Amino acid sequence: MSRYKRGLVFRTLFTLVLMIVVGMVVASPSNKWRLEVSSDADSAGEVVIRLTPEDGTPTDVRIAIPDDTGENHIARLISAGLKAEVGDTYHVEVDDGEDVLVKKRGGPDFDLQVIELTVKGTRIHAQHE
């Protein structure tokens, strides 16, 4: 086998492995997610949360956050926004003041991502449980 063909085979295999790994990192559906809100808002902005059921259509939920909002209040705003938008499909509740739990109500597992956060000073971390 020529050097060119070996290189081509290596690059093709490397690309396939990379695509599989990225796919596993990007999509990891679960039946329960936790959004951890850290720090108060230093500016007004919004957070956009995407919920994607396995083999389903994504739903984006856009929640406005006022300037100088505490992390517990941000969690309550996120919870209220999610309940208003997808409350029949998911159970949403505030936990420990600054965390939001999102659980499926029957149906398939789902992926949850924070796809946009324009609030300065605040961090929101999504993790499945």
Side-chain angles (χ1 to χ4, degrees):
M1 185 182 291
S2 72
R3 180 182 295 169
Y4 173 77
K5 286 183 180 179
R6 279 194 308 260
L8 184 60
V9 168
F10 175 77
R11 284 192 302 273
T12 302
L13 288 174
F14 179 77
T15 302
L16 289 173
V17 169
L18 186 61
M19 288 171 50
I20 291 168
V21 169
V22 168
M24 290 187 313
V25 169
V26 171
S28 60
S30 179
N31 66 340
K32 180 178 175 182
W33 287 84
R34 178 178 297 271
L35 290 166
E36 297 175 344
V37 180
S38 301
S39 300
D40 300 344
D42 293 335
S43 72
E46 61 186 16
V47 58
V48 180
I49 298 167
R50 177 171 290 160
L51 297 106
T52 308
E54 283 185 305
D55 300 325
T57 304
T59 300
D60 290 352
V61 180
R62 189 172 300 272
I63 301 149
I65 309 294
D67 185 17
D68 202 32
T69 303
E71 65 184 17
N72 288 5
H73 189 206
I74 293 170
R76 289 193 303 274
L77 289 171
I78 291 170
S79 175
L82 288 170
K83 284 178 185 177
E85 199 68 34
V86 296
D88 293 339
T89 307
Y90 303 98
H91 174 77
V92 182
E93 66 182 82
V94 175
D95 185 45
D96 295 332
E98 71 278 351
D99 292 351
V100 179
L101 296 178
V102 183
K103 305 172 194 171
K104 74 176 185 175
R105 291 186 195 248
D109 286 354
F110 63 102
D111 193 28
L112 186 147
Q113 300 169 298
V114 177
I115 61 169
E116 185 178 342
L117 179 61
T118 61
V119 179
K120 303 256 190 283
T122 300
R123 293 176 313 282
I124 301 175
H125 175 67
Q127 65 183 32
H128 53 76
E129 301 221 323

